[in-house]
Each structure stands twice: as C-alpha cells, then as structure tokens.
Amino acid sequence: YAAATYRISGDLTIADGDTAHLQAGTTFLFDGEYNFNIYGTLKAIGTETDSIVFDNYGDDRWRGFTLDNASDETTFEYVRLSGAEKDQGGGMFVNGSNPTLTHVTISGNTAAFVGGGMVLEGSNPTLTHVTIFGNTAAYDGGGMYLYDSNPTLTHVTISGNTAYYAGGMYLETSNPTLTHATITDNTADDG
C-alpha cells in the first residue's frame, strides 16, 4: 500500500501465505468496530520521521490487531497503534506468533477483560524501543498480559496503564527477558 490515508470500513485480513507491505507515512483510520487479522505476513515499516498510524476515523473504536499463527516475518517498525478496543488484547492480540516490533507505540487501547495494550499467548515476539502507555484492562494486565509466552523486551517502557489486577504486566507461565525495561506509574486496584 502506497503512503496515503486510508479510511477502513470493514475487516482487514492477511491470509496465510499472503504478504502485505505498508509504506512509511501510511495511515489506516478505522470507521467502525473492524478487525485487522493477520494469518500471513505484514510488513508495516515506517521511518523515524514518517510513522505508520493505526487509529479510529470517528467515535467508534476499531478492534485492533489479531495475529493468529502469523508468519515470523511479520514486522512493525515505527508504528503508532491507538484507539482500539476488544475483549482481550485491546491493541494487539498475539497467538502462536513471533512478530518483531521496533520503535512502536501502543497507547490508549482498552480490553474488556485482559491485556489493554497487548496479549501474548504461546508467543515469543521481540520488542525493541517499544512504548506501551495509557492502556486499560478491566481485569488483568493493563499494559501487557502474557500467558505461556517468552518475549524479549529491550528498551521497552510500560507506563501509565491501568487494570484491576497487575496494572503494568501480568505474567502466567511466562518468562520474558527484560533488558533496559522501565515499568512505572501503572495502577491496579489489586495486586
């Protein structure tokens, strides 16, 4: 997709075996409760001065990304992801997938249950220079919810997130590797 602003009025799906490339400066604005499902490969590669943006067009909140056994070649670089809302993994739900996220901001997303910013289930992604800020989960993991996942987080900031339990990061049967990570100013009602 060439660099442009796209108004999205339906679900987007990258099928298994397919690859989509988004150019730097691309903006996807979702005009309703639509999903972006990835079973194949997404190459969303922006630049420091020309990010790729995913957000809402109007008042209805889009439903974020779902990566379900997506290709390990899936890459988010210089991406801003905000305004999404769904049951689990408000901004990004990652199941059985190992994407690479570099210079990504995940902010202002909401989960009705767990993982306001993102949920990882059976996934081992690599996050470098990622900011997870101002996300909300009604139950567990305002910033991140990890289940049976071992991600590598380097220069990652998890800040200003809220949840009932574990405002910043919730871990269950998971062993993340954190290097130069900052987890601060998150809020939980309990735990």
Side-chain angles (χ1 to χ4, degrees):
Y1 293 86
T5 297
Y6 296 91
R7 182 176 172 183
I8 309 301
S9 57
D11 289 340
L12 299 176
T13 299
I14 301 172
D16 185 18
D18 287 349
T19 300
H21 295 269
L22 305 183
Q23 301 298 318
T26 301
T27 298
F28 276 28
L29 300 177
F30 292 81
D31 194 10
E33 298 177 10
Y34 301 119
N35 298 289
F36 197 143
N37 302 307
I38 303 170
Y39 304 100
T41 304
L42 175 64
K43 297 280 191 177
I45 301 175
T47 65
E48 186 173 1
T49 57
D50 222 359
S51 295
I52 295 174
V53 176
F54 299 93
D55 205 342
N56 298 308
Y57 178 81
D59 293 333
D60 290 330
R61 294 171 64 100
W62 71 298
R63 300 192 42 81
F65 284 96
T66 298
L67 284 72
D68 195 355
N69 293 304
S71 162
D72 288 354
E73 300 302 312
T74 295
T75 302
F76 295 82
E77 189 170 330
Y78 289 104
V79 169
R80 291 181 291 152
L81 164 67
S82 58
E85 180 175 355
K86 64 177 175 265
D87 289 346
Q88 298 184 56
M92 188 177 286
F93 183 88
V94 183
N95 179 50
S97 303
N98 307 309
T100 299
L101 284 71
T102 307
H103 296 287
V104 172
T105 299
I106 300 172
S107 64
N109 302 289
T110 302
F113 295 106
V114 298
M118 68 187 322
V119 165
L120 304 179
E121 286 192 5
S123 298
N124 306 313
T126 300
L127 284 70
T128 307
H129 295 288
V130 171
T131 300
I132 301 172
F133 174 78
N135 301 285
T136 303
Y139 293 101
D140 302 331
M144 296 180 76
Y145 179 96
L146 280 64
Y147 178 78
D148 197 25
S149 296
N150 305 313
T152 300
L153 287 70
T154 307
H155 295 288
V156 171
T157 299
I158 301 171
S159 178
N161 302 287
T162 60
Y164 176 76
Y165 191 85
M169 181 187 290
Y170 178 93
L171 305 174
E172 186 172 338
T173 61
S174 297
N175 295 297
T177 300
L178 289 83
T179 307
H180 302 293
T182 302
I183 303 174
T184 184
D185 297 323
N186 299 286
T187 304
D189 294 331
D190 188 20

